[in-house]
Amino acid sequence: MFLIVLILSIYYFSVLFFLSLGIWKLKRPSVSSTQHEISVIVAARNEEANILRLINCLLQQNYSPKRYELIIVDDRSEDRTAEIVTEAIKTTENLRLLRIPIEEQGGKKRALARGISQARYSILAFTDADCLPSPDWLQEISNHFTPEVSFIGGYSPLISDKNNFWIRLKNLERLSIFAVSAGSMGWNLGLTITARNMAYRKELYNKVNGFSGLENIPSGDDDLMLQRMSPYSKKMNFMFTQGSIVPSYDNKNLSGQINLETRRASKWRYYPFYIKIGTALVFLYYLAFFLMLLFFLIGKLSFHTFILLLLIKILAELIILIPFFQRIRTWQYLPLYPVALILHLPYFIFFGLKGTFGKYKWKS
C-alpha cells in the first residue's frame, strides 16, 4: 500500500511542478495604447439584484466607448432583469439587450451563443452578472491580446459583506484552481477556467463550432469550451495584473454552495480522455493519502513514513501556489494553508464522488 501511495505522491508532485513551470512561462505583455474592439457578453437569468451593479462597472471602464459594446442576454428571467437593462440602455449607446423567450428551451450556453451571434467585434469577453470587473479590465484584456494570442483567462476572487474565515478559506481553494488554470495555459494546454473572467477570439469560437454538442450539459461554457478550443488555440495567456481582477459576490448559502461544488465536479465525465485520466489519478492520490492519515492516527503507519508522504504533498502544493501568489500578489491567504491542507482532503473526495454519482439543482 505504501508503495502505491508513494508512486501517486510522485505523480502528484510531478504534475504540480510541471504546472508551476507553466506559470513562469507566462509573459506579461508590454503596456500598449492600442485598444482592440471588444464585445462583452453576459448571460443573465433572474439577476435583478446584481445586473445594474455590473452594468455600471462595465460602462465606467477606462476604455474608449467607441471600442467596445456590452451585450446582456436575458435568459428567460422571471424577475425585473430585462426591465432594469432596458432602463440602463436609455443612458448609453454601448449597451444592448437580447431576450430569450421563456418558452424557448436551452440554458446559459444558448444565451451566450445568441449574444455571440450578434457581437460586432472579433474579441469576445465574458463575465457573470454577479461580478464587479475592475475599471481597467478591458484595457488589460486588450493588452494581453497580442497577435498570436487567441484565449486569455484571469483571476476572480470571492467577496462578501462578511470577510470571515470561511470566505478567506474558499478564496484559498479558488486560488489553487486558478494556479492550475494559469500553469496549464503557460503550456498552451487548457485545463480549467472560470466564465467570470475570460476572453477569446470569435474566429476560435467558430473554428470549434461553438457550443455544438455541449447544449445539453447544464454548465461548461467555460472549462469545457477551453478544453475544446485548446488544440486550435495559437497561444493562451493568463492575466496577473491587478487591473484584470474580476471580483464576484459570494451570496450562496450552504445548500447553494453544495450545489455549486457538485456541479463543478460533475463536469469531469465530459472532459477529454487525457484530462479524465490525469484527474482520476489525482483523486486516487487524495483518497490514498486520506487512508494513510487514518492509518497513522490509529497507529498502523509509522511517524516517519507519514511525515515523508506529508512533506511531498506540502512541497508539491507550495511549488505551484507560491509562484501564483507572487504574480497575483495575494500573500494574505498563505497562512490559511495548514488548515486547508487538512480540510481539503475530505472536501475534495466528497465532492469528487458526489459530482460523479450525485445530482444537483442549478439554473436551467
Side-chain angles (χ1 to χ4, degrees), residues 68-112:
Y68 77 100
E69 64 175 348
L70 169 58
I71 302 173
I72 304 291
V73 187
D74 176 33
D75 182 17
R76 301 164 296 147
S77 294
E78 298 169 327
D79 63 2
R80 296 182 60 251
T81 297
E83 181 182 335
I84 293 170
V85 178
T86 300
E87 285 297 313
I89 288 174
K90 298 176 181 178
T91 66
T92 179
E93 297 179 354
N94 286 56
L95 176 60
R96 284 194 283 157
L97 171 65
L98 303 177
R99 302 192 69 175
I100 306 293
I102 292 179
E103 63 274 10
E104 188 172 332
Q105 295 299 311
K108 184 180 180 183
K109 285 189 284 295
R110 177 183 288 273
L112 291 174

Side-chain angles (χ1 to χ4, degrees), residues 140-142 144-145 149-154 185 193 197-200 235-239:
E140 290 296 345
I141 288 175
S142 182
H144 282 77
F145 265 108
V149 171
S150 52
F151 197 115
I152 62 171
M185 286 184 163
I193 194 68
N197 190 1
M198 70 177 190
Y200 47 75
K235 186 177 180 180
M236 299 179 184
N237 206 345
F238 190 92
M239 302 182 292

Side-chain angles (χ1 to χ4, degrees), residues 47 63-64 84 88 103 123 146 179 182 189 196 286 310 328 362:
E47 292 286 358
Y63 210 75
S64 170
I84 293 170
E103 63 274 10
I123 293 177
T146 52
L189 176 67
R196 290 169 173 166
Y286 268 76
L310 179 63
I328 207 74
W362 201 250

Side-chain angles (χ1 to χ4, degrees), residues 18-242:
F18 174 78
L19 292 173
S20 72
L21 293 179
I23 292 176
W24 293 115
K25 281 170 60 68
L26 292 168
K27 304 298 182 183
R28 178 183 178 181
S30 56
V31 177
S32 173
S33 59
T34 301
Q35 291 189 334
H36 296 294
E37 292 179 322
I38 301 174
S39 294
V40 182
I41 301 169
V42 178
R45 177 166 168 80
N46 297 331
E47 292 286 358
E48 64 179 6
N50 299 310
I51 195 65
L52 184 59
R53 187 171 53 199
L54 170 72
I55 290 172
N56 289 335
C57 285
L58 291 173
L59 293 182
Q60 294 169 10
Q61 291 287 302
N62 297 324
Y63 210 75
S64 170
K66 297 181 179 180
R67 305 298 290 177
Y68 77 100
E69 64 175 348
L70 169 58
I71 302 173
I72 304 291
V73 187
D74 176 33
D75 182 17
R76 301 164 296 147
S77 294
E78 298 169 327
D79 63 2
R80 296 182 60 251
T81 297
E83 181 182 335
I84 293 170
V85 178
T86 300
E87 285 297 313
I89 288 174
K90 298 176 181 178
T91 66
T92 179
E93 297 179 354
N94 286 56
L95 176 60
R96 284 194 283 157
L97 171 65
L98 303 177
R99 302 192 69 175
I100 306 293
I102 292 179
E103 63 274 10
E104 188 172 332
Q105 295 299 311
K108 184 180 180 183
K109 285 189 284 295
R110 177 183 288 273
L112 291 174
R114 188 70 52 86
I116 291 171
S117 70
Q118 297 297 312
R120 299 189 182 107
Y121 304 134
S122 61
I123 293 177
L124 310 174
F126 302 89
T127 189
D128 286 341
D130 57 354
C131 292
L132 301 172
S134 304
D136 293 323
W137 183 55
L138 289 179
Q139 184 61 61
E140 290 296 345
I141 288 175
S142 182
N143 289 345
H144 282 77
F145 265 108
T146 52
E148 71 278 9
V149 171
S150 52
F151 197 115
I152 62 171
Y155 175 49
S156 179
L158 295 174
I159 56 176
S160 173
D161 295 332
K162 298 178 180 180
N163 187 23
N164 57 28
F165 171 79
W166 293 110
I167 192 72
R168 294 172 62 217
L169 195 63
K170 286 166 69 173
N171 267 322
L172 177 59
E173 190 264 346
R174 290 183 61 80
L175 277 163
S176 67
I177 296 173
F178 282 111
V180 169
S181 177
S184 66
M185 286 184 163
W187 293 104
N188 214 47
L189 176 67
L191 294 182
T192 185
I193 194 68
T194 174
R196 290 169 173 166
N197 190 1
M198 70 177 190
Y200 47 75
R201 295 189 187 273
K202 194 172 186 178
E203 64 178 354
L204 181 60
Y205 173 84
N206 292 331
K207 186 176 290 186
V208 301
N209 295 317
F211 297 110
S212 176
L214 302 177
E215 301 97 330
N216 296 323
I217 303 172
S219 60
D221 56 284
D222 41 22
D223 51 359
L224 294 182
M225 278 299 285
L226 170 65
Q227 292 162 11
R228 170 178 285 192
M229 291 175 167
S230 180
Y232 303 95
S233 177
K234 295 178 182 178
K235 186 177 180 180
M236 299 179 184
N237 206 345
F238 190 92
M239 302 182 292
F240 293 101
T241 54
Q242 294 299 298

